[in-house]
């Protein structure tokens, strides 16, 4: 079992707090704000109704063109050029997600994709 403290120690991550909607021994679904996201269950003792955290690395998050599974629609809050990539921060309804992207972005709403195989639920 991978511990949350180890996952958080390894690089830059997004940490999202929510409630477990469903869980199997290896898969989980977590409600974060108005969104439900699928991910890999890293704490086998979690079950429906538990409060938990989901962690995903910045480089695993990407932008897509439309709504879909594991996609959240958020407002671009700020952008920072990091010398080789842009770090963009998105916010809406209590959800904050950061990601790295090669280009600057226009203000407004964007579709942010969090792949289920990279989203770890603890």
């Amino acid at each position: 079992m991978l511990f949350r403290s180890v996952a958080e120690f390894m690089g830059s991550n997004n940490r999202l707090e929510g409630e477990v909607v469903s869980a199997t021994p290896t898969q989980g679904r977590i409600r974060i704000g108005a969104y439900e996201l699928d991910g890999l269950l890293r704490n086998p003792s979690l079950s429906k109704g538990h409060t938990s955290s989901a962690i995903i690395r910045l480089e695993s998050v990407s932008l897509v063109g439309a709504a879909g599974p594991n996609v959240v629609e958020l407002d671009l809050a700020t952008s920072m050029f990091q010398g080789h990539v842009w770090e963009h921060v998105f916010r809406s309804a209590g959800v904050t997600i950061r990601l790295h992207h090669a280009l600057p972005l226009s203000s407004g709403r964007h579709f942010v994709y969090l792949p289920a195989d990279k989203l770890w639920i603890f």
Side-chain angles (χ1 to χ4, degrees), residues 21-113:
V21 176
S22 64
T24 70
T26 59
Q27 306 287 347
R29 178 173 274 234
I30 185 170
R31 180 179 299 115
I32 300 166
Y35 302 101
E36 289 189 8
L37 302 170
D38 294 315
L40 299 176
L41 200 62
R42 296 297 189 193
N43 180 350
S45 67
L46 286 177
S47 61
K48 183 178 179 179
H50 278 118
T51 299
S52 68
S53 300
I55 295 176
I56 189 166
R57 295 179 60 82
L58 270 63
E59 61 269 15
S60 296
V61 180
S62 61
L63 297 173
V64 293
N70 273 39
V71 173
V72 295
E73 187 177 3
L74 302 172
D75 296 310
L76 179 62
T78 189
S79 298
M80 299 155 280
F81 186 60
Q82 306 253 316
H84 63 290
V85 296
W86 286 86
E87 183 174 315
H88 301 292
V89 179
F90 298 88
R91 288 191 181 105
S92 184
V95 176
T96 299
I97 297 176
R98 300 178 301 142
L99 65 82
H100 288 156
H101 192 63
L103 302 171
L105 296 174
S106 60
S107 62
R109 294 188 69 79
H110 295 266
F111 294 102
V112 179
Y113 173 58

